[in-house]
């Protein structure tokens, strides 16, 4: 029961608080009652205290008030109107607009507007923009009407003219903005007035009120020369001076930049729908933007953007972006980019880039890049690249290119010509050459594989590595920590044989030559073979070799070949020497219609176990032996 009473009491208090807050918000600002007591406080700080007590905000031209004037004032439960009378006497007029209390000079003290026409269809506002702290006149400040969005800018002497066409017979709010200065809004009466003197406070004074530039406010519209031709000076000036007009606008239509429903201020606004017949320059898009030729956005784009030629975004892009020629992004991309020629992102890409020629990401890439010619991902992470010619990346999952792939760390790499990486996890497959520092997987090349450490296999015509834990299969494999042996041996058919073994014990190459220096029985041989070594501890091994020889018996044009399969046991008594011996089985095929020279042997085989003749070719088979010494 007690819990229920506490709950009911809490609900009633909350309801009363809401009702009181709503009633206070709906009450006239000048009728709201406040209590304050300040001594020797600056005028601008005093106004902050009043605004805080009354739950509203002031709007005034800083040039008409001396903000550093000291104020001593005490008010107990007084209406704001009475406090203003105590503070300013009768020097100013106070107008309520929403939750703002606007301070202006009375009509009998005009500010600066002279009617341009007598029929009240508009009037001209003129004046100077100055630095309130130094009095220096400020050039190229943006001046605009907050209602009609009519805009102009101050000239090199700080002077401006702003014509308010079809202006109603009521005060107009004129906003003045300049980069590195606080925005100022003043109220101008539509009567004969003197020139305005508008003072702007530097952005750093006070620091608490400084406006910080947003990440999307990139100065690409100032840095790029092509922007001078694609946009108007007033648009670029507005984009430079005005941080962002508040609120999301529903739509805008532009024929070319600066000529549209929002005029020069389109570069400071964000729209749900933007249509640019030829091209347009907007502050941003949160929805859909279509451009016949190009779309240019100062800040962010969220949703869908399509242009016949180019999209250029100064902030981040979230969604889909399609262009007939190129997409240019100065912020991050979260989504998909599709362009007929080029996608360029100066920041991070999370999603996909598809281009007919080139994709480029300057920071982190997480997703997919597909290009007809070239992909570049400078600091990629989880990326898949596919290009007709070349892929370049930092860290990628997969690279596939018609010509070459280059990466620091890569998964599988497949290229028509070459692959280059520092670390590869997977397979490197190239038509000509693979190079890497560390490979965990396999290297497969049409000509040469080069690596430092291979935890896997190499397959190529030439394989070069410091160490290979698997198999190096090729015509020539050179492994620094593998087999390098010179061999001197003798067998049943050739008395002196020299051979060189290179590779690993899993798979090695044998290059050999032999001579049988017996008068009347001369034999010369040249051969190539492969083998595998079965290790039995550090000193004993069993070698299985398959070698093919070209046999010379005095006639170069005689076809004479030998095949030899041999099994040898080797013993290594020292670090650089071993002895071996074993058995073999041989086959010799030669053209029997060509007789050897008289000083050479009639045939290679010293004996035969089987002999055949087929189409003028003699085939001899026989068992044999070999023995020798190897030097390391």
């Amino acid at each position: 029961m007690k819990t229920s009473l506490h709950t009911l009491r809490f609900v009633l208090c909350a309801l009363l608080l809401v009702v009181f807050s709503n009633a206070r918000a709906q009450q006239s600002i000048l009728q709201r009652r406040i209590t304050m007591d300040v001594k020797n406080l600056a005028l601008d700080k005093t106004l902050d205290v009043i605004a805080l007590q009354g739950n509203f905000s002031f709007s005034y031209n800083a040039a008409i008030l001396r903000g550093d004037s000291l104020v001593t004032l005490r008010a107990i439960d007084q209406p704001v109107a009475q406090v203003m009378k105590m503070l300013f006497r009768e020097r100013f007029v106070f107008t309520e607009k929403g939750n703002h209390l606007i301070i202006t000079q009375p009509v009998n003290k005009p500010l600066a507007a002279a009617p341009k026409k007598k029929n009240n269809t508009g009037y001209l506002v003129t004046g100077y923009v100055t630095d309130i702290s130094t009095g220096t006149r400020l050039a190229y400040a943006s001046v605009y009407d907050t209602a009609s969005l009519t805009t102009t800018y101050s000239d090199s002497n700080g002077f401006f003219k702003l014509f308010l066409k079809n202006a109603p017979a009521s005060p107009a709010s004129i906003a003045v903005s300049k980069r590195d200065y606080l925005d100022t809004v003043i109220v101008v009466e539509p009567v004969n007035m003197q020139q305005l003197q508008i003072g702007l406070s530097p952005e750093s004074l006070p620091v608490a009120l400084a406006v910080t530039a947003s990440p999307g406010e990139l100065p690409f519209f100032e840095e790029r020369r092509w922007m001078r031709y694609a946009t108007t000076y007033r648009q670029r000036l507005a984009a430079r001076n005005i941080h962002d007009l508040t609120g999301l606008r529903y739509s805008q239509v532009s024929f070319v930049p600066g000529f549209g429903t929002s005029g020069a201020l389109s570069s400071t606004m964000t729209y749900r729908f933007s249509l640019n017949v030829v091209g347009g320059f907007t502050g941003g898009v949160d929805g859909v933007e279509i451009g016949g030729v190009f779309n240019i956005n100062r800040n962010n784009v969220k949703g869908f953007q399509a242009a016949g030629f180019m999209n250029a975004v100064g902030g981040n892009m979230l969604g889909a972006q399609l262009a007939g020629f190129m997409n240019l992004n100065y912020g991050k991309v979260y989504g998909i980019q599709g362009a007929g020629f080029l996608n360029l992102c100066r920041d991070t890409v999370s999603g996909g880039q598809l281009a007919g020629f080139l994709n480029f990401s300057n920071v982190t890439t997480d997703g997919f890049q597909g290009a007809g010619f070239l992909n570049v991902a400078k600091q990629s992470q989880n990326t898949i690249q596919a290009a007709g010619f070349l892929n370049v990346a930092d860290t990628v999952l997969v690279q596939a290119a018609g010509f070459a792939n280059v990466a620091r760390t890569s998964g599988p790499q497949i290229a028509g010509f070459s692959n280059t990486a520092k670390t590869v996890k997977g397979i490197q497959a190239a038509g000509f050459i693979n190079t890497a520092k560390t490979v965990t997987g396999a290297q497969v090349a049409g000509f040469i594989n080069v690596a430092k450490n291979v935890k896997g296999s190499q397959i190529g015509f030439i394989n070069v590595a410091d160490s290979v834990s698997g198999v190096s299969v090729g015509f020539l494999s050179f492994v620094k920590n593998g087999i390098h042996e010179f061999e001197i041996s003798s067998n049943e058919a050739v008395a002196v044989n020299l051979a060189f073994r290179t590779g690993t014990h899993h798979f090695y190459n044998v290059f050999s030559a032999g001579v049988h220096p017996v008068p009347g029985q001369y034999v010369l041989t040249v051969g190539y073979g492969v083998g595998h070594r079965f290790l039995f501890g550090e000193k004993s091994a069993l070698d299985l070799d398959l070698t093919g020889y070209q046999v010379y018996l005095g006639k170069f044009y005689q076809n004479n070949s030998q095949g030899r399969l041999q099994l040898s046991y080797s013993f290594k008594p020292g670090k650089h020497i071993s002895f071996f011996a074993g058995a073999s089985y041989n086959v010799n095929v030669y053209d029997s219609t060509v007789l050897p020279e008289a000083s050479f042997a009639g045939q290679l085989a010293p004996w035969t176990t089987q002999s055949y003749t087929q189409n003028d070719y003699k085939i001899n088979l026989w068992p044999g032996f070999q023995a020798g010494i190897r030097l390391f």
Side-chain angles (χ1 to χ4, degrees), residues 3-57:
T3 303
S4 299
L5 288 175
H6 282 299
T7 303
L8 180 61
R9 185 179 303 169
F10 175 77
V11 173
L12 290 175
C13 290
L15 289 174
L16 288 174
L17 181 62
V18 171
V19 171
F20 175 77
S21 301
N22 289 337
R24 184 175 180 84
Q26 295 174 0
Q27 187 181 24
S28 168
I29 295 176
L30 293 172
Q31 294 176 0
R32 298 178 189 178
R33 307 184 80 83
I34 64 172
T35 297
M36 60 178 294
D37 187 4
V38 299
K39 293 181 179 180
N40 295 324
L41 185 66
L43 176 60
D44 54 355
K45 298 297 183 183
T46 302
L47 293 177
D48 290 341
V49 172
I50 296 172
L52 181 64
Q53 288 283 328
N55 192 25
F56 64 92
S57 59

Side-chain angles (χ1 to χ4, degrees), residues 317-374:
M317 196 286 292
L318 174 63
Q321 191 178 51
L322 304 177
F325 184 75
M326 70 177 293
N327 291 308
L328 176 61
N329 287 270
Y330 287 77
K332 296 177 174 62
V333 173
Y334 300 98
I336 185 75
Q337 287 184 306
F341 184 78
L342 168 66
N343 289 310
L344 174 62
C345 179
R346 294 181 60 178
D347 206 301
T348 297
V349 173
S350 294
Q353 289 183 310
L354 300 173
F357 184 77
L358 169 64
N359 291 310
F360 180 87
S361 173
N362 192 51
V363 188
T364 301
T365 303
D366 188 354
F368 175 78
Q369 285 185 317
F373 184 77
L374 171 64

Side-chain angles (χ1 to χ4, degrees), residues 393-450:
D394 181 70
T395 301
V396 290
L397 296 176
V398 180
Q399 284 185 315
F403 182 76
N405 294 306
V406 179
R408 184 177 63 86
T409 301
S410 176
Q413 289 184 310
I414 301 172
F417 183 78
S418 72
N419 293 307
T420 301
K422 184 177 181 180
T423 302
V424 177
K425 296 181 180 179
I427 186 172
Q428 273 190 321
F432 185 78
I433 182 173
N434 292 308
T435 60
K437 183 176 181 180
T438 301
V439 177
T440 303
Q443 286 185 312
V444 181
F447 183 70
I448 184 172
N449 295 305
V450 179

Side-chain angles (χ1 to χ4, degrees), residues 20 104 182 187 274 414 425 453 466 475 477 589 598 619-620:
F20 175 77
T104 59
L182 295 176
V187 177
S274 175
I414 301 172
K425 296 181 180 179
N453 300 309
D466 281 3
F475 176 78
S477 296
V589 180
I619 303 172
N620 293 325

Side-chain angles (χ1 to χ4, degrees), residues 610-627:
Q610 291 178 298
S611 184
Y612 307 95
T613 301
Q614 184 176 4
N615 297 330
D616 297 330
Y617 277 86
K618 190 74 176 286
I619 303 172
N620 293 325
L621 295 91
W622 72 96
F625 64 88
Q626 65 279 339

